[in-house]
Amino acid sequence: MTSVAPSREIVCSFQPSKTFRNHKEGTRITSFDFDDAGALLLTCGEDESLQLYDVKSGKHSKTLYSKKYGAHLARFTHNSTDCVYASTKDNDTIRYLSLHDNHYIRYFKGHKKKVVGLEMSPSDDHFISSSLDNSVRLWDLRSANAQGLLTVPAPAFAAFDPAGVVFGVGCEQTAEILLYDLRNYDSEPFAVFKIDALRGSNQPVPWTKIEFSNDGKNMLVATRGPAHYLLDAFSGDILMRFTGHTYQAINGERQYMSSGDVCFSPDGRFVLSGSDDKKIYIWDIQSPVRDGAQRPVIALESKTPATNLAFNPRSLMLASADKELVCIMEKL
């Protein structure tokens, strides 16, 4: 099944359609994930719960609690009845959970500090985790033991390419992206991209994630600074900067409102960014570039700051979340 390919007209017509408030009032939703078919959505929150939604019916399906360990970064496996998620208290173990009967299938132990990144391979049962313990670990759902261990200064950000053959590790402190062959993960990276624009004059620009486009040709580096970056995934060259975030004057100084999540559309044409000003900024990479920068084609209204943002992989729907989950769809 191919990814959806929205036109600019469709993307610009998106508007909030439904709001869910299943997490405890006043607590934040810290992460969410669509399953492969785009039929289910799973959220984690500060209230130590996982909430499951049926996208097709537009209804909440189930609440699961993880009071003892907390829950963050829940990711569906390729079986939509299972997920993996990171603990937020007691220990830093990653848990493999059956959503059907709330039964733990396996535990993945090894991290010594908070897990800040967790991503499933798009092609098989491997997944990758990054932690504040200065490590990135490669796992297989079928084994409790890590398949690979990389020592990388935290915070680090990891992502698989769309074929699941290559994974990238982004190092904020050194402003580098390291590319590894999954088949030879214990070897040195086969490519290292040094991104001088992200080094900063006094300290590194804070990163929030890295992500491959659906064709594997480009990479997105999202930051908390005034720009996000599109890189050539083969050379590491910066192809364009995404600018134009809304900012406001605070004590006479301009402060960029760029703390929201950032993602590609499923076809890789659009880059979307949430913001504290309750807007979602959208850039079209096919638009003309001026001075190496791309300006947003639209800023969509959202009911909540999009600290979490994702495009459904199989339908024309966005989801954003902060203290509420908001479904954003094409205006009919």
Side-chain angles (χ1 to χ4, degrees):
M1 186 182 295
T2 57
S3 299
V4 294
S7 65
R8 180 187 286 199
E9 291 73 22
I10 289 175
V11 167
C12 290
S13 75
F14 277 179
Q15 63 180 9
S17 63
K18 194 163 187 177
T19 302
F20 296 91
R21 301 179 178 89
N22 298 97
H23 287 277
K24 183 179 178 180
E25 184 177 358
T27 63
R28 293 183 181 276
I29 296 170
T30 57
S31 65
F32 62 59
D33 189 42
F34 286 102
D35 72 342
D36 289 348
L40 298 173
L41 177 64
L42 181 64
T43 66
C44 282
E46 292 175 339
D47 61 354
E48 299 165 352
S49 77
L50 297 91
Q51 305 288 343
L52 185 64
Y53 301 87
D54 186 313
V55 173
K56 292 184 178 179
S57 67
K59 296 181 179 180
H60 176 257
S61 297
K62 183 180 292 188
T63 298
L64 300 163
Y65 287 102
S66 183
K67 293 291 186 180
K68 183 177 180 180
Y69 306 109
H72 185 38
L73 300 171
R75 303 290 185 245
F76 282 105
T77 68
H78 297 297
N79 182 346
S80 61
T81 61
D82 302 331
C83 75
V84 291
Y85 71 88
S87 307
T88 59
K89 62 181 187 179
D90 189 61
N91 58 42
D92 302 290
T93 297
I94 298 168
R95 302 175 191 282
Y96 182 12
L97 176 69
S98 168
L99 298 169
H100 174 68
D101 57 9
N102 199 20
H103 170 73
Y104 289 116
I105 301 170
R106 189 162 289 114
Y107 304 95
F108 304 96
K109 301 178 180 180
H111 284 301
K112 304 302 182 184
K113 291 185 179 180
K114 181 180 179 181
V115 174
V116 295
L118 191 61
E119 299 296 334
M120 283 294 306
S121 165
S123 61
D124 57 27
D125 287 335
H126 286 97
F127 68 96
I128 196 166
S129 61
S130 55
S131 166
L132 295 180
D133 64 5
N134 298 315
S135 76
V136 173
R137 294 173 186 260
L138 179 68
W139 309 86
D140 189 313
L141 287 175
R142 297 165 293 186
S143 171
N145 299 316
Q147 308 296 297
L149 170 63
L150 305 174
T151 300
V152 182
F157 306 87
F160 285 97
D161 83 325
V165 175
V166 169
F167 66 90
V169 176
C171 304
E172 177 185 301
Q173 288 191 28
T174 60
E176 294 177 329
I177 293 179
L178 317 175
L179 297 185
Y180 293 87
D181 187 331
L182 185 65
R183 296 160 296 189
N184 298 291
Y185 51 78
D186 54 348
S187 301
E188 293 295 313
F190 66 83
V192 178
F193 302 147
K194 298 181 182 296
I195 311 171
D196 291 335
L198 286 168
R199 291 183 183 276
S201 55
N202 298 316
Q203 59 184 9
V205 177
W207 296 20
T208 59
K209 72 186 301 184
I210 63 172
E211 182 179 339
F212 284 89
S213 61
N214 70 315
D215 59 8
K217 294 181 180 180
N218 299 324
M219 291 189 71
L220 176 65
V221 179
T223 81
R224 295 193 187 280
H228 308 302
Y229 295 83
L230 187 73
L231 274 58
D232 184 303
F234 299 100
S235 67
D237 295 335
I238 295 177
L239 301 177
M240 61 184 66
R241 296 179 294 115
F242 301 108
T243 64
H245 310 70
T246 294
Y247 48 85
Q248 63 182 9
I250 301 177
N251 297 326
E253 297 182 359
R254 286 181 168 179
Q255 298 291 330
Y256 282 92
M257 308 284 281
S258 56
S259 62
D261 199 3
V262 184
C263 67
F264 276 117
S265 62
D267 63 344
R269 175 178 173 179
F270 299 98
V271 171
L272 302 92
S273 175
S275 173
D276 281 344
D277 63 356
K278 298 184 180 180
K279 293 183 184 293
I280 296 173
Y281 293 87
I282 301 179
W283 295 267
D284 183 349
I285 66 173
Q286 295 180 6
S287 295
V289 177
R290 296 181 180 179
D291 299 323
Q294 188 72 271
R295 303 286 294 181
V297 296
I298 194 170
L300 300 176
E301 296 294 334
S302 178
K303 292 183 178 181
T304 182
T307 53
N308 297 276
L309 183 67
F311 212 117
N312 188 307
R314 303 300 180 196
S315 65
L316 296 173
M317 187 189 82
L318 280 171
S320 71
D322 185 54
K323 294 181 180 179
E324 303 172 341
L325 174 65
V326 181
C327 295
I328 303 170
M329 302 181 69
E330 176 186 3
K331 183 178 180 180
L332 300 177

